[in-house]
Amino acid sequence: MSDAALTLVGRGVRLSRRNPDALITAMVLPVMLMLVFVYFFGGAIDTGTRTSYVTYVVPGVLLLCAGFGASTTAVRVSEDMRAGIVDRFRSLDVGATPILAGHVGASLLRNVLSTALVIAVAFLIGFRPQAGPAGWAAALGLLAAFVLAVSWLSAAAGLLARTPEAASGFTFFMMFLPYPSSAFVPIDTMPRWLHGFAEHQPVTPVIESLRGLLLDQPVGDAPWIALAWCGGLLAVAVGLSGALFRARTR
């Protein structure tokens, strides 16, 4: 990462610190949703496994964290475009990649905090993974790849939207994706017409991989499918972001 991008990552972190309401919401809301699912619905849900419901649901909550964190990225990019900050950066010969990479890097750091908070609370309420160091490293690496992909997608959404409010709305789809997946209930309990989408959307292989890695269970080819989705989404997002940035700054 270039010096300009690192500097702009620092700027993104400072912007997050100056807006603690949004930061706290992005960190606390996934934890609250986890508690709601575990304590309100967990007793009525049969996952078909021997693991506790909190252990089953944690991978999905981690992906919810990514969605909430990514929505902040879209809003920040949109605010920069509307406030004219980007024009100032361009006058300093700072291109699209460092500007957007700064926002994406700040998103990764925010997600480190929210992920750590979710895992800590999950341990307190009964989360008991069986993974060794290699399993944890693989799971966290895959989660980082997913966060990177959705953060770049959110940067593209921020460039596409004309207002920060619209940018936040664009990210709703990514925050919704964990629900029609295996995040909270097994797919075979859903209506049959939903199975095809739930099985073949990008979130499901990521969740299945995280769950298998953290529980030290066979994962088959799910991690490779998940990485393929992450790589494809990242390539599309980076290319789209570059094109949108050039169109917005002509």
Side-chain angles (χ1 to χ4, degrees):
M1 187 177 288
S2 67
D3 291 342
L6 288 173
T7 300
L8 291 172
V9 168
R11 171 181 177 266
V13 172
R14 290 191 295 273
L15 287 174
S16 296
R17 290 170 55 191
R18 293 170 186 169
N19 191 0
D21 293 346
L23 181 61
I24 291 172
T25 299
M27 294 178 63
V28 173
L29 191 54
V31 173
M32 296 301 296
L33 287 173
M34 178 174 63
L35 295 176
V36 166
F37 273 99
V38 171
Y39 290 114
F40 291 6
F41 308 134
I45 296 175
D46 181 9
T47 63
T49 67
R50 296 182 179 180
T51 60
S52 65
Y53 186 66
V54 63
T55 300
Y56 181 90
V57 83
V58 164
V61 176
L62 293 176
L63 265 65
L64 281 178
C65 285
F68 286 118
S71 66
T72 302
T73 302
V75 172
R76 292 283 184 267
V77 171
S78 181
E79 287 175 344
D80 278 357
M81 297 301 297
R82 188 171 70 169
I85 300 297
V86 171
D87 291 333
R88 187 176 303 174
F89 286 147
R90 293 186 71 217
S91 70
L92 299 173
D93 198 26
V94 178
T97 299
I99 293 173
L100 298 178
H103 286 290
V104 171
S107 175
L108 287 170
L109 293 176
R110 286 194 301 269
N111 272 278
V112 168
L113 294 176
S114 59
T115 297
L117 180 61
V118 165
I119 292 175
V121 174
F123 270 107
L124 290 175
I125 63 175
F127 178 51
R128 296 297 180 264
Q130 304 298 319
W136 272 102
L140 293 176
L142 179 57
L143 181 61
F146 181 79
V147 171
L148 182 65
V150 297
S151 295
W152 272 104
L153 278 174
S154 294
L159 290 167
L160 186 63
R162 295 295 174 176
T163 66
E165 294 77 13
S168 180
F170 271 115
T171 61
F172 171 79
F173 182 68
M174 286 306 303
M175 290 188 287
F176 174 75
L177 277 179
Y179 293 96
S181 74
S182 60
F184 304 109
V185 296
I187 290 175
D188 58 13
T189 65
M190 299 178 183
R192 188 171 298 277
W193 57 265
L194 190 56
H195 286 188
F197 176 78
E199 290 174 353
H200 301 293
Q201 58 128 318
V203 164
T204 296
V206 178
I207 290 173
E208 292 298 320
S209 300
L210 293 178
R211 187 174 289 132
L213 291 168
L214 292 176
L215 297 180
D216 196 23
Q217 296 175 349
V219 292
D221 57 358
W224 302 112
I225 297 173
L227 287 173
W229 269 111
C230 292
L233 291 173
L234 180 61
V236 170
V238 171
L240 182 61
S241 296
L244 289 171
F245 188 90
R246 289 189 295 271
R248 290 287 303 273
T249 57
R250 284 177 181 172

